[in-house]
Short mmCIF file of all heavy atoms in Angstrom, two decimals:
data_model
loop_
_atom_site.label_atom_id
_atom_site.label_comp_id
_atom_site.label_asym_id
_atom_site.label_seq_id
_atom_site.Cartn_x
_atom_site.Cartn_y
_atom_site.Cartn_z
N GLY A 12 90.00 16.95 -69.63
CA GLY A 12 91.03 17.94 -69.25
C GLY A 12 90.50 19.39 -69.48
O GLY A 12 91.20 20.33 -69.80
N SER A 14 89.37 21.44 -67.18
CA SER A 14 89.42 22.29 -65.96
C SER A 14 90.44 23.43 -66.07
O SER A 14 90.39 24.38 -65.34
CB SER A 14 89.76 21.48 -64.76
OG SER A 14 91.01 20.85 -64.86
N ILE A 17 94.72 24.23 -72.08
CA ILE A 17 94.15 24.12 -73.47
C ILE A 17 92.74 23.68 -73.38
O ILE A 17 91.90 24.18 -74.19
CB ILE A 17 95.00 23.09 -74.29
CG1 ILE A 17 96.45 23.52 -74.36
CG2 ILE A 17 94.39 22.81 -75.65
CD1 ILE A 17 97.46 22.46 -74.95
N ARG A 37 89.41 15.92 -63.19
CA ARG A 37 89.19 15.46 -61.77
C ARG A 37 88.59 16.59 -60.96
O ARG A 37 87.84 16.35 -60.04
CB ARG A 37 90.56 14.99 -61.17
CG ARG A 37 90.99 13.74 -61.75
CD ARG A 37 92.46 13.50 -61.37
NE ARG A 37 93.31 14.62 -61.78
CZ ARG A 37 94.59 14.68 -61.57
NH1 ARG A 37 95.24 13.75 -60.94
NH2 ARG A 37 95.23 15.74 -61.99
N SER A 38 89.04 17.85 -61.19
CA SER A 38 88.65 19.01 -60.28
C SER A 38 87.22 19.44 -60.61
O SER A 38 87.05 20.37 -61.45
CB SER A 38 89.63 20.15 -60.47
OG SER A 38 90.89 19.68 -60.59
N ASP A 61 88.58 10.37 -63.60
CA ASP A 61 90.03 10.29 -63.39
C ASP A 61 90.54 9.27 -64.45
O ASP A 61 90.28 8.08 -64.35
CB ASP A 61 90.28 9.70 -61.96
CG ASP A 61 91.75 9.71 -61.60
OD1 ASP A 61 92.62 9.88 -62.54
OD2 ASP A 61 92.09 9.59 -60.44
N LEU A 62 91.36 9.73 -65.29
CA LEU A 62 91.92 8.94 -66.42
C LEU A 62 92.89 7.90 -65.95
O LEU A 62 93.26 6.96 -66.60
CB LEU A 62 92.59 9.77 -67.47
CG LEU A 62 91.60 10.68 -68.29
CD1 LEU A 62 92.40 11.72 -69.09
CD2 LEU A 62 90.77 9.81 -69.26
N ASN A 87 91.77 15.31 -74.29
CA ASN A 87 92.79 16.38 -74.01
C ASN A 87 93.45 16.22 -72.65
O ASN A 87 94.57 16.65 -72.49
CB ASN A 87 92.03 17.74 -74.07
CG ASN A 87 92.87 18.89 -73.55
OD1 ASN A 87 93.83 19.31 -74.14
ND2 ASN A 87 92.51 19.37 -72.35
N GLY A 89 95.64 15.14 -69.69
CA GLY A 89 96.95 14.45 -69.71
C GLY A 89 97.90 15.06 -68.74
O GLY A 89 97.70 16.16 -68.19
N ALA A 137 97.57 15.10 -78.76
CA ALA A 137 98.84 14.36 -78.55
C ALA A 137 99.90 15.39 -78.27
O ALA A 137 99.72 16.22 -77.32
CB ALA A 137 99.11 13.55 -79.79
N TYR A 151 106.66 10.70 -71.25
CA TYR A 151 105.64 11.57 -71.92
C TYR A 151 105.65 11.31 -73.38
O TYR A 151 104.61 11.10 -74.04
CB TYR A 151 105.93 13.02 -71.61
CG TYR A 151 104.95 14.02 -72.25
CD1 TYR A 151 103.60 14.07 -71.78
CD2 TYR A 151 105.38 14.85 -73.23
CE1 TYR A 151 102.76 14.98 -72.33
CE2 TYR A 151 104.45 15.78 -73.82
CZ TYR A 151 103.13 15.81 -73.32
OH TYR A 151 102.30 16.68 -73.93
N LYS A 155 102.66 9.63 -75.86
CA LYS A 155 102.04 10.33 -76.97
C LYS A 155 102.31 9.64 -78.30
O LYS A 155 101.48 9.60 -79.19
CB LYS A 155 102.58 11.82 -77.04
CG LYS A 155 102.12 12.66 -75.81
CD LYS A 155 100.63 12.84 -75.69
CE LYS A 155 100.24 13.75 -74.55
NZ LYS A 155 98.83 14.07 -74.41
N GLY A 182 103.14 22.12 -80.12
CA GLY A 182 104.47 22.33 -79.55
C GLY A 182 104.27 22.91 -78.13
O GLY A 182 103.34 22.52 -77.42
N VAL A 184 102.93 25.20 -75.22
CA VAL A 184 101.77 26.07 -75.04
C VAL A 184 101.80 26.51 -73.53
O VAL A 184 102.16 25.73 -72.65
CB VAL A 184 100.42 25.31 -75.21
CG1 VAL A 184 99.25 26.16 -75.13
CG2 VAL A 184 100.45 24.52 -76.54
N THR A 186 100.77 26.75 -70.39
CA THR A 186 99.79 26.22 -69.41
C THR A 186 100.58 25.67 -68.19
O THR A 186 101.82 25.91 -68.09
CB THR A 186 99.07 25.03 -70.04
OG1 THR A 186 100.00 23.90 -70.21
CG2 THR A 186 98.39 25.30 -71.40
N1 LIG B 1 101.16 22.77 -72.74
C1 LIG B 1 101.93 22.23 -73.70
O1 LIG B 1 102.98 22.72 -74.02
C2 LIG B 1 101.40 21.02 -74.42
C3 LIG B 1 102.02 20.61 -75.64
C4 LIG B 1 101.63 19.54 -76.29
C5 LIG B 1 100.57 18.79 -75.88
N2 LIG B 1 99.91 19.17 -74.68
C6 LIG B 1 98.81 18.29 -74.24
O2 LIG B 1 97.67 19.07 -74.07
C7 LIG B 1 96.81 18.49 -73.12
C8 LIG B 1 96.34 19.49 -72.15
O3 LIG B 1 97.43 19.93 -71.35
P1 LIG B 1 97.63 21.40 -70.87
O4 LIG B 1 98.90 21.93 -71.44
O5 LIG B 1 96.42 22.22 -71.05
O6 LIG B 1 97.98 21.13 -69.34
P2 LIG B 1 97.22 21.47 -67.93
O7 LIG B 1 96.96 22.89 -67.86
O8 LIG B 1 98.11 20.87 -66.90
O9 LIG B 1 95.85 20.64 -68.07
C9 LIG B 1 95.78 19.25 -67.98
C10 LIG B 1 94.34 18.86 -67.92
O10 LIG B 1 94.34 17.43 -67.82
C11 LIG B 1 93.51 17.06 -66.62
N3 LIG B 1 94.04 15.88 -66.02
C12 LIG B 1 95.36 15.61 -65.56
N4 LIG B 1 95.40 14.36 -65.02
C13 LIG B 1 94.14 13.85 -65.15
C14 LIG B 1 93.58 12.61 -64.72
N5 LIG B 1 94.29 11.64 -64.08
N6 LIG B 1 92.29 12.40 -65.03
C15 LIG B 1 91.53 13.32 -65.68
N7 LIG B 1 91.99 14.47 -66.05
C16 LIG B 1 93.29 14.76 -65.81
C17 LIG B 1 93.68 18.24 -65.70
O11 LIG B 1 92.58 18.41 -64.82
P3 LIG B 1 92.52 17.89 -63.32
O12 LIG B 1 93.81 18.14 -62.72
O13 LIG B 1 91.38 18.73 -62.78
O14 LIG B 1 92.20 16.44 -63.39
C18 LIG B 1 93.66 19.44 -66.69
O15 LIG B 1 92.36 19.79 -66.99
C19 LIG B 1 97.63 17.36 -72.53
O16 LIG B 1 97.21 16.07 -73.03
C20 LIG B 1 99.01 17.68 -72.87
O17 LIG B 1 99.86 16.51 -72.96
C21 LIG B 1 100.34 20.25 -73.99
#
Side-chain angles (χ1 to χ4, degrees):
S14 61
I17 298 169
R37 288 167 305 178
S38 318
D61 187 347
L62 291 166
N87 169 71
Y151 180 69
K155 296 295 186 175
V184 187
T186 69

